[in-house]
Amino acid sequence: MNCDVKDINLAGKGRLRVEWARQDMPVLNSIRERFVREKPLDGLRIAACLHVTTETAVLAATLKAGGALVHVCASNPLSTQDDVAAYLAKEEGIPTFAIKGEDADTYYRHIHQALDVKPQVTMDDGADLVFTVHTKRQELVPEILGGTEETTTGVIRLKAMARDGVLRYPMIAVNDALTKYLFDNRYGTGQSTLDGIMRATNRLMSGSIFVVAGYGWCGRGLAMRARGMGARVIITEVDPLKALEALMDGYEVLPMAQAAPQGDIFCTLTGDINVIREEHVVAMKDGAILSNSGHFNVEIDLEGLARALTSRRPIRESVEEYTLQNGKRIYLLAEGRLVNLAAAEGHPSAVMDMSFANQSLAAEFISKNHQKFDKQVYTVPEEIDAEIARLKLAAMGVEIDTLTPEQVKYLASYDLGT
Ligand SMILES: NC(=O)c1ccc[n+]([C@@H]2O[C@H](COP(=O)([O-])OP(=O)(O)OC[C@H]3O[C@@H](n4cnc5c(N)ncnc54)[C@H](O)[C@@H]3O)[C@@H](O)[C@H]2O)c1
């Protein structure tokens, strides 16, 4: 078996968990049924660097059903579900390279092993795979038709590469599909981040002061859900428009320096670096909880935190206690990595259903249309977005109205006024 997983004997447990997830992924299931019939990805080699979760297993099996040869590795050292990795390798026969808690060397070795499939399509969550191709595995570039990117931070990196003229093959920004970020980033991150913080700490949300850094799609989802649990939510932002939205949505808006002494629980979701720094941490209350749900573990300044401490110890699973020189104790969750994936199970399957429907249709789109692309970052075609929304509504048993011929004409005209 071509794989590197923690324990292949966990496959049976993984199978049951994947079966559970699949029940909540009707859109991907319908795509899979078509893929089985039409084999649109026949012989296509795909390297997928994604969080190795139950939903990713359903995606990988869908791609395989379409005829693709898929290799899977983790897009984060802490997000792998070891039973799922074992299931993928043993029962789906998909070469999988991912171990929860792997160190940086193993993480990159696994990326290289996934790339050994000599991909024609790369599938990324954070752009580490693409970046490795561009820096260490350039010999692979001539055969690559295109790639897909799952998350905001990855899209930002790719757009920077395209702007600097160094991107060597076309990319589809799956993150920027409406059926992705409006649901996955907002409702998925909102629910799963709260889930991760609650599983790690078992703290009562009700009445707590919850500071959300960043009021983008992820931040607003988390703020909404934290408020729903009875927390008093403070937003920090750098964008005046987002700050204004947060204010008019009824939240308190403060700079981090003022929020720091007030918060009981902090979560960063900005895609930015050093959002919570040493000067903020030392001003926090004794017992404050720090977490991050943005893509990389750079949003909390871990070096600054280390400078301020006298001692640290693990105190619960996914929780490390830092005792600071000023005597206060600060609790860091999941080493400052994505708390929803490291301390919980990531997004609910029902929301990943749409994100991964976009991934599979984007892979099909690349395989059919790659000649038309430049070395740029493209959005998912509107028809794919609309089709996914239509399929999701149908699966949820929800019907909507259709425009009458009169309405079609009216909406395309300008002659009828007051
Ligand atoms: N946890 C998950 O499962 C998950 C899911 C999707 C996306 N993400 C990641 O979450 C991050 C945010 O994604 P998004 O889609 O919400 O992005 P977004 O661009 O919609 O929002 C980010 C917000 O952060 C704000 N911001 C930037 N720097 C800041 C700072 N120093 N202080 C306060 N606010 C600041 C920006 O103004 C923006 O409003 C990205 O890294 C993305 O990749 C995580």
Side-chain angles (χ1 to χ4, degrees), residues 250-288:
Y251 299 105
E252 188 172 358
V253 177
L254 291 175
M256 185 56 82
Q258 290 177 34
Q262 297 192 35
D264 298 307
I265 303 170
F266 294 79
C267 188
T268 49
L269 311 93
T270 67
D272 197 0
I273 192 167
N274 293 339
V275 176
I276 294 183
R277 297 182 292 276
E278 185 179 354
E279 71 260 30
H280 302 134
V281 172
V282 295
M284 285 177 188
K285 292 194 239 180
D286 181 36

Coordinates of all heavy atoms in Angstrom, one line a residue, residues 250-288:
G250 N -24.7 45.3 15.3 CA -25.0 45.3 16.7 C -23.9 44.9 17.6 O -24.1 44.7 18.8
Y251 N -22.6 44.8 17.1 CA -21.5 44.4 17.9 C -20.7 45.6 18.4 O -20.8 46.7 17.8 CB -20.5 43.5 17.1 CG -21.2 42.3 16.6 CD1 -21.5 42.1 15.3 CD2 -21.4 41.2 17.5 CE1 -22.1 40.9 14.8 CE2 -22.0 40.0 17.0 CZ -22.3 39.9 15.7 OH -22.9 38.7 15.2
E252 N -20.0 45.4 19.5 CA -19.1 46.5 19.9 C -17.8 46.3 19.0 O -17.4 45.2 18.7 CB -18.7 46.3 21.4 CG -17.9 47.4 22.0 CD -17.7 47.3 23.5 OE1 -18.2 46.3 24.1 OE2 -17.0 48.1 24.0
V253 N -17.3 47.4 18.6 CA -16.1 47.4 17.8 C -15.0 48.2 18.5 O -15.2 49.3 18.9 CB -16.3 48.0 16.4 CG1 -15.1 48.1 15.5 CG2 -17.4 47.3 15.6
L254 N -13.8 47.5 18.7 CA -12.7 48.2 19.4 C -11.4 47.8 18.7 O -11.3 46.7 18.1 CB -12.6 47.6 20.8 CG -13.8 48.0 21.8 CD1 -13.6 47.2 23.1 CD2 -13.8 49.5 22.1
P255 N -10.4 48.6 18.9 CA -9.0 48.2 18.6 C -8.6 47.0 19.5 O -9.1 47.0 20.7 CB -8.1 49.4 18.8 CG -9.0 50.5 19.2 CD -10.3 50.0 19.5
M256 N -7.7 46.2 19.1 CA -7.3 45.0 19.9 C -6.7 45.5 21.2 O -6.9 44.8 22.3 CB -6.3 44.2 19.1 CG -5.9 42.9 19.8 SD -7.3 41.8 20.3 CE -7.5 40.9 18.8
A257 N -6.0 46.6 21.2 CA -5.4 47.1 22.5 C -6.5 47.3 23.5 O -6.2 47.1 24.7 CB -4.6 48.4 22.2
Q258 N -7.7 47.8 23.1 CA -8.7 48.0 24.1 C -9.5 46.8 24.4 O -10.1 46.6 25.5 CB -9.6 49.1 23.6 CG -9.0 50.5 23.6 CD -9.9 51.6 23.0 OE1 -11.1 51.5 23.2 NE2 -9.3 52.5 22.4
A259 N -9.6 45.9 23.4 CA -10.4 44.6 23.6 C -9.6 43.7 24.5 O -10.2 42.9 25.3 CB -10.7 44.0 22.2
A260 N -8.2 43.7 24.4 CA -7.4 42.7 25.1 C -7.7 42.6 26.6 O -7.9 41.5 27.1 CB -5.9 43.0 24.9
P261 N -7.8 43.8 27.3 CA -8.1 43.6 28.8 C -9.5 43.2 29.1 O -9.8 42.8 30.2 CB -7.8 45.1 29.3 CG -7.4 45.9 28.2 CD -7.6 45.2 26.9
Q262 N -10.4 43.2 28.1 CA -11.8 42.9 28.4 C -12.2 41.4 28.1 O -13.1 40.9 28.7 CB -12.7 43.8 27.5 CG -12.6 45.3 27.8 CD -13.7 46.1 27.1 OE1 -14.8 45.6 27.0 NE2 -13.3 47.3 26.7
G263 N -11.5 40.8 27.1 CA -12.0 39.5 26.6 C -11.8 38.4 27.5 O -10.8 38.3 28.2
D264 N -12.7 37.4 27.5 CA -12.5 36.1 28.1 C -11.9 35.1 27.1 O -11.1 34.3 27.4 CB -13.8 35.6 28.7 CG -14.4 36.5 29.7 OD1 -13.7 36.8 30.7 OD2 -15.6 36.9 29.6
I265 N -12.5 35.2 25.9 CA -12.1 34.3 24.8 C -11.8 35.1 23.6 O -12.5 36.0 23.2 CB -13.2 33.3 24.5 CG1 -13.7 32.5 25.7 CG2 -12.9 32.3 23.4 CD1 -14.9 31.7 25.6
F266 N -10.7 34.8 22.9 CA -10.2 35.5 21.7 C -10.1 34.5 20.5 O -9.6 33.4 20.7 CB -8.9 36.2 21.9 CG -8.8 37.2 22.9 CD1 -8.8 36.9 24.3 CD2 -8.9 38.6 22.6 CE1 -8.8 37.9 25.3 CE2 -8.9 39.6 23.5 CZ -8.8 39.3 24.9
C267 N -10.6 34.9 19.4 CA -10.3 34.1 18.2 C -10.0 35.0 17.0 O -10.7 36.0 16.7 CB -11.6 33.2 17.9 SG -11.2 32.0 16.6
T268 N -8.9 34.7 16.3 CA -8.5 35.4 15.2 C -8.9 34.7 13.9 O -8.8 33.5 13.8 CB -7.0 35.6 15.1 OG1 -6.4 34.3 15.3 CG2 -6.4 36.5 16.2
L269 N -9.5 35.5 12.9 CA -9.9 34.9 11.6 C -9.7 35.9 10.6 O -10.6 36.4 9.9 CB -11.4 34.5 11.6 CG -11.9 33.7 12.8 CD1 -12.5 34.5 13.9 CD2 -13.0 32.7 12.3
T270 N -8.4 36.3 10.4 CA -8.1 37.5 9.5 C -7.3 37.1 8.3 O -7.3 37.8 7.3 CB -7.3 38.5 10.3 OG1 -6.0 37.9 10.6 CG2 -7.9 38.9 11.6
G271 N -6.6 36.0 8.3 CA -5.6 35.7 7.3 C -4.4 36.6 7.3 O -3.6 36.6 6.5
D272 N -4.3 37.3 8.4 CA -3.2 38.3 8.6 C -2.2 37.7 9.6 O -2.4 36.7 10.3 CB -3.8 39.6 9.0 CG -2.8 40.8 8.9 OD1 -1.7 40.6 8.4 OD2 -3.3 41.9 9.2
I273 N -1.1 38.5 9.8 CA 0.0 38.0 10.7 C 0.0 38.9 12.0 O -0.3 40.1 11.9 CB 1.3 38.0 9.9 CG1 2.4 37.3 10.7 CG2 1.8 39.5 9.6 CD1 3.7 37.1 9.9
N274 N 0.4 38.2 13.1 CA 0.6 38.9 14.4 C -0.6 39.9 14.7 O -0.3 41.1 15.0 CB 1.9 39.6 14.4 CG 3.1 38.6 14.3 OD1 2.9 37.4 14.7 ND2 4.2 39.0 13.9
V275 N -1.8 39.4 14.7 CA -2.9 40.2 15.0 C -3.1 40.3 16.6 O -3.4 41.4 17.1 CB -4.2 39.5 14.4 CG1 -5.5 40.2 14.8 CG2 -4.0 39.4 12.9
I276 N -2.7 39.2 17.3 CA -2.6 39.3 18.7 C -1.1 39.2 19.1 O -0.5 38.2 18.8 CB -3.4 38.2 19.4 CG1 -4.9 38.4 19.1 CG2 -3.1 38.2 20.9 CD1 -5.8 37.4 19.8
R277 N -0.6 40.3 19.7 CA 0.8 40.4 19.9 C 1.1 40.4 21.4 O 0.2 40.5 22.2 CB 1.4 41.7 19.2 CG 1.2 41.7 17.7 CD 1.9 42.9 17.1 NE 1.1 44.1 17.5 CZ 0.1 44.6 16.8 NH1 -0.4 43.9 15.8 NH2 -0.5 45.7 17.2
E278 N 2.4 40.4 21.7 CA 2.9 40.4 23.1 C 2.2 41.5 23.9 O 1.7 41.2 25.1 CB 4.4 40.5 23.2 CG 5.0 40.4 24.5 CD 6.5 40.5 24.6 OE1 7.1 40.6 23.5 OE2 7.1 40.5 25.6
E279 N 2.1 42.7 23.4 CA 1.6 43.8 24.2 C 0.1 43.6 24.5 O -0.4 44.0 25.5 CB 1.8 45.2 23.5 CG 1.0 45.4 22.2 CD 1.7 45.2 20.9 OE1 2.7 44.3 20.9 OE2 1.4 45.9 19.9
H280 N -0.6 42.8 23.6 CA -2.0 42.5 23.9 C -2.1 41.4 25.0 O -2.9 41.5 25.9 CB -2.7 42.0 22.6 CG -2.6 43.0 21.5 ND1 -2.3 42.7 20.2 CD2 -2.9 44.4 21.5 CE1 -2.3 43.7 19.4 NE2 -2.7 44.8 20.2
V281 N -1.2 40.4 24.8 CA -1.3 39.3 25.7 C -1.0 39.7 27.1 O -1.8 39.3 28.1 CB -0.3 38.2 25.3 CG1 -0.3 37.0 26.3 CG2 -0.7 37.6 23.9
V282 N 0.0 40.5 27.3 CA 0.3 40.9 28.7 C -0.8 41.8 29.4 O -0.9 41.8 30.6 CB 1.7 41.6 28.9 CG1 2.8 40.7 28.5 CG2 1.7 42.9 28.0
A283 N -1.7 42.4 28.5 CA -2.7 43.2 29.0 C -4.0 42.4 29.3 O -5.0 42.9 29.9 CB -3.1 44.3 28.0
M284 N -4.0 41.1 28.9 CA -5.2 40.3 29.1 C -5.5 39.9 30.5 O -4.6 39.9 31.3 CB -5.1 39.0 28.2 CG -5.3 39.3 26.7 SD -5.1 37.9 25.7 CE -5.1 38.6 24.1
K285 N -6.7 39.5 30.7 CA -7.1 39.0 32.1 C -6.5 37.7 32.4 O -6.2 36.9 31.5 CB -8.6 38.8 32.1 CG -9.5 40.0 32.0 CD -10.9 39.6 32.4 CE -11.9 39.9 31.3 NZ -13.3 39.6 31.5
D286 N -6.3 37.4 33.6 CA -5.9 36.1 34.1 C -6.9 35.0 33.6 O -8.1 35.2 33.7 CB -5.8 36.0 35.6 CG -5.3 34.7 36.1 OD1 -4.4 34.1 35.4 OD2 -5.8 34.2 37.2
G287 N -6.5 34.0 32.9 CA -7.4 33.0 32.4 C -7.9 33.2 31.0 O -8.7 32.4 30.5
A288 N -7.5 34.2 30.3 CA -8.0 34.5 29.0 C -7.6 33.3 28.0 O -6.5 32.7 28.2 CB -7.4 35.8 28.4

